[in-house]
Amino acid sequence: MQRTYGMDMDRVLDGTVSVPQAAACAACLPLGSLCLAAEDEEAGWTREEILTLALVNSWRSEPIDPFRHKAGVSMDVDAYAEYLARPRSEVPADGGDAA
């Protein structure tokens, strides 16, 4: 969220950013987002990685299917607020952009 929107998640805890606003932003995170990848490794794939897989699969007789069909996750405001209040590890000096 910090890298994409410049939104410090601690602002949700102090009320500067509302839980619904943070949830709306989270729902629109781009492919390859570190937040999405932390919750679901598959969601961490970038568009380039997905296109590369499609290219490789076009050459194979047996395509590689790394994705499992999972149901979406939804949270109400209280559950999302509790999730955001969980302790987080310290942010790397590079802001997490090195990965």
Side-chain angles (χ1 to χ4, degrees), residues 55-83:
L55 181 64
V56 169
N57 278 343
S58 72
W59 298 330
R60 296 176 52 94
S61 59
E62 189 77 27
I64 300 167
D65 183 8
F67 303 105
R68 292 172 295 287
H69 301 288
K70 295 182 180 177
V73 176
S74 65
M75 297 181 193
D76 61 24
V77 172
D78 292 332
Y80 194 64
E82 183 275 325
Y83 174 79

